[in-house]
């Protein structure tokens, strides 16, 4: 089985990254999202082991000490991390893996795995970003203001990524994401592995 592609998808909070990825997954086979560990509180509707693995700070620190994480970062006073073993297992089975992480985690991954494909998603304007954050109804005004400030910092790293997608029209952004995945599956390196028997037969 050929080794698959690892993707990093980053975006400021409220840009629609999670919604896009949820719609993308059913449209392609052999594609999954890595479930991260986090120390933040579980939100209504979130499922343990599906949305996140919710852990205590002590447990998270213990995992860091054992080098269990491919990357980890502190975001909004909480820790987030990607377990290395589960990602490598999926890739070796030919399954493309998406990591929903921020620019800090992306920098860590690129140092370890420079072949990783990276995608950044931005909103069409700051006004729309603020409207989306307010529309969630999950945060108070002070938290939203801090998220807006952090969004500017997050977006300042867009040029470190391979692809840039604007989530203005949701369906267009979804099509663009899918096109990136499909195009990377058609590179010579990928196709030579997948179509080895066919190529040998054609050139015999």
């Amino acid at each position: 089985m050929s080794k698959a592609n690892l993707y990093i998808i980053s975006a400021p909070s409220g840009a629609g990254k999670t919604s896009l990825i949820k719609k993308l997954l059913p449209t392609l086979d052999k594609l999954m999202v890595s479930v991260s560990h986090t120390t933040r509180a579980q939100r209504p509707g979130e499922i343990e082991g599906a949305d996140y693995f919710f852990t205590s700070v002590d447990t998270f620190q213990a995992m860091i000490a054992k080098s269990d994480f491919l990357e980890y970062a502190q975001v909004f006073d909480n820790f987030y991390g990607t377990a290395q073993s589960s990602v490598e297992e999926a890739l070796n089975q030919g399954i493309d893996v998406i990591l929903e992480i921020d620019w800090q985690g992306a920098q860590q991954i690129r140092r370890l795995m420079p072949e990783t494909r990276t995608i950044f998603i931005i909103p069409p304007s700051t006004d729309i970003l603020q409207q989306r954050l307010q529309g969630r109804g999950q945060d108070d005004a002070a938290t939203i203001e801090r998220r807006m400030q952090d969004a500017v910092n997050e977006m300042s790293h867009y040029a470190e990524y391979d692809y840039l997608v604007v989530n203005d029209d949701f369906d267009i952004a979804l099509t663009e994401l899918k096109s990136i995945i499909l195009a990377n599956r058609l590179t010579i390196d990928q196709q030579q592995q997948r179509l080895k028997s066919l190529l040998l037969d054609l050139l015999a």
Side-chain angles (χ1 to χ4, degrees):
M1 184 68 69
S2 62
K3 187 169 183 179
N5 292 315
L6 178 62
Y7 293 92
I8 292 172
I9 301 182
S10 303
S13 181
K17 166 174 55 72
T18 300
S19 296
L20 283 166
I21 292 173
K22 284 183 178 179
K23 288 290 186 180
L24 174 68
L25 289 174
T27 70
L28 292 169
D29 63 349
K30 294 187 178 298
L31 180 67
M32 63 169 281
V33 175
S34 174
V35 180
S36 299
H37 289 72
T38 183
T39 60
R40 78 157 169 77
Q42 189 171 353
R43 293 172 180 165
E46 289 184 329
I47 300 171
E48 167 72 21
D51 295 294
Y52 287 99
F53 293 109
F54 297 95
T55 63
S56 67
V57 174
D58 288 344
T59 298
F60 197 98
Q61 295 288 359
M63 293 178 72
I64 293 175
K66 292 188 293 183
S67 299
D68 287 344
F69 292 121
L70 188 60
E71 61 78 33
Y72 66 92
Q74 184 173 1
V75 184
F76 302 135
D77 302 325
N78 294 299
F79 288 98
Y80 296 80
T82 303
Q84 183 170 353
S85 58
S86 58
V87 170
E88 291 183 343
E89 181 180 356
L91 292 174
N92 289 328
Q93 291 176 355
I95 300 172
D96 290 332
V97 178
I98 294 173
L99 303 183
E100 293 185 65
I101 57 178
D102 72 348
W103 65 269
Q104 298 175 75
Q107 288 184 346
Q108 294 178 53
I109 299 273
R110 282 197 301 268
R111 284 194 292 267
L112 294 172
M113 305 173 70
E115 71 279 8
T116 301
R117 275 70 167 174
T118 56
I119 305 167
F120 201 93
I121 299 172
I122 58 174
S125 71
T126 53
D127 287 343
I128 289 177
L129 180 62
Q130 186 163 13
Q131 290 171 17
R132 289 174 181 173
L133 289 173
Q134 291 171 337
R136 290 177 173 179
Q138 296 175 337
D139 302 311
D140 58 26
T143 301
I144 289 175
E145 177 61 28
R146 187 177 70 167
R147 288 187 182 277
M148 288 297 296
Q149 293 172 358
D150 289 332
V152 174
N153 178 55
E154 181 79 23
M155 289 187 290
S156 72
H157 294 271
Y158 78 89
E160 300 171 12
Y161 289 70
D162 299 315
Y163 303 93
L164 185 62
V165 173
V166 180
N167 185 16
D168 185 2
D169 183 297
F170 185 89
D171 290 335
I172 292 175
L174 180 61
T175 298
E176 290 175 346
L177 273 182
K178 185 175 180 179
S179 297
I180 292 169
I181 305 293
L182 289 174
N184 278 291
R185 290 182 176 182
L186 299 176
T187 62
I188 290 296
D189 287 345
Q190 291 286 318
Q191 292 290 67
Q192 279 181 325
Q193 294 181 67
R194 291 192 180 98
L195 305 176
K196 185 176 181 179
S197 296
L198 171 62
L199 293 169
L200 287 173
D201 183 60
L202 290 172
L203 298 174

